[in-house]
Amino acid sequence: EAGVTQFPSHSVIEKGQTVTLRCDPISGHDNLYWYRRVMGKEIKFLLHFVKESKQDESGMPNNRFLAERTGGTYSTLKVQPAELEDSGVYFCASSHPQGPYEQYFGPGTRLTVT
Amino acid sequence: AQRVTQPEKLLSVFKGAPVELKCNYSYSGSPELFWYVQYSRQRLQLLLRHISRESIKGFTADLNKGETSFHLKKPFAQEEDSAMYYCALSRSYSGAGSYQLTFGKGTKLSVIP
């Protein structure tokens, strides 16, 4: 069984540019979560999809971040325009639609904004 | 507000010595507690959860509701235990809904040969 995949593994962009991160969850996992870890801080929740619907987006920092999950399969997280403080590692996790809701994490995308 | 505190950023122990990674939490209600581990160049993976009450790779963790703690323990550390360990919590399983994880900052365990 393939695990959660994320693309790209590393992205370096300039302040003001746009970046789109992609996450492919484990097949059959309706739940998809985005998290991020900025330097020196803990891993923080961004948002949660159930299939294509946003269940909880309380962790999204501001309106420069846009997450989508068209068709309920893969998800994208777009940052536009990127700021220096957006640098960090962005993780995606997925879990099965029925319990016990264990979350399986992807390898993360390291975003560097210069 | 819910919070997870891991007071040690780095913990170094000798091989064969006991290990205890500390975790304290604050949460209104009864959370579910987890330990996640990230080995070098690998992804974050679940080590154990309090509800399972099992031992994984020799590690155990007991939920102490009175002290709001969920410390991770192993009686004899091995070199392969060197990794980053994260304590996390979510709301207790109760059907559909969001089970977002709240993480601590992590403790880097280094086992000295």
Side-chain angles (χ1 to χ4, degrees), chain A residues 4 35 37 56 101 103, chain B residues 43 86 93 98-101:
Chain A
V4 177
Y35 297 87
R37 182 180 61 215
D56 182 351
Y101 292 86
Q103 293 183 30
Chain B
R43 63 187 65 194
Y86 295 93
Y93 174 61
S98 184
Y99 293 89
Q100 56 174 280
L101 294 167

Side-chain angles (χ1 to χ4, degrees), chain B residues 83-97:
Chain B
M84 196 74 183
Y85 291 80
Y86 295 93
C87 183
L89 66 76
S90 75
R91 67 183 181 95
S92 293
Y93 174 61
S94 59

Side-chain angles (χ1 to χ4, degrees), chain A residues 8-111:
Chain A
S9 57
H10 193 183
S11 180
V12 181
I13 61 171
E14 292 184 355
K15 176 182 169 180
Q17 289 186 322
T18 298
V19 64
T20 300
L21 314 180
R22 173 171 169 147
C23 168
D24 286 76
I26 293 171
S27 177
H29 281 194
D30 289 348
N31 293 295
L32 188 150
Y33 296 82
W34 283 99
Y35 297 87
R36 77 170 177 177
R37 182 180 61 215
V38 296
M39 183 79 77
K41 300 282 184 72
E42 59 269 28
I43 300 169
K44 283 198 169 175
F45 166 78
L46 296 178
L47 87 158
H48 169 218
F49 282 100
V50 177
K51 296 184 180 178
E52 66 276 7
S53 300
K54 291 177 186 173
Q55 176 80 19
D56 182 351
E57 52 184 330
S58 61
M60 293 288 263
N62 51 62
N63 59 10
R64 294 185 295 103
F65 289 76
L66 175 64
E68 294 180 324
R69 193 182 180 194
T70 308
T73 54
Y74 70 91
S75 173
T76 58
L77 180 65
K78 183 160 74 172
V79 185
Q80 179 183 29
E83 298 289 343
L84 298 177
E85 63 264 26
D86 300 332
S87 295
V89 181
Y90 289 76
F91 295 100
C92 173
S94 71
S95 69
H96 196 271
Q98 292 153 17
Y101 292 86
E102 176 179 341
Q103 293 183 30
Y104 296 84
F105 280 77
T109 292
R110 181 173 294 278
L111 175 64

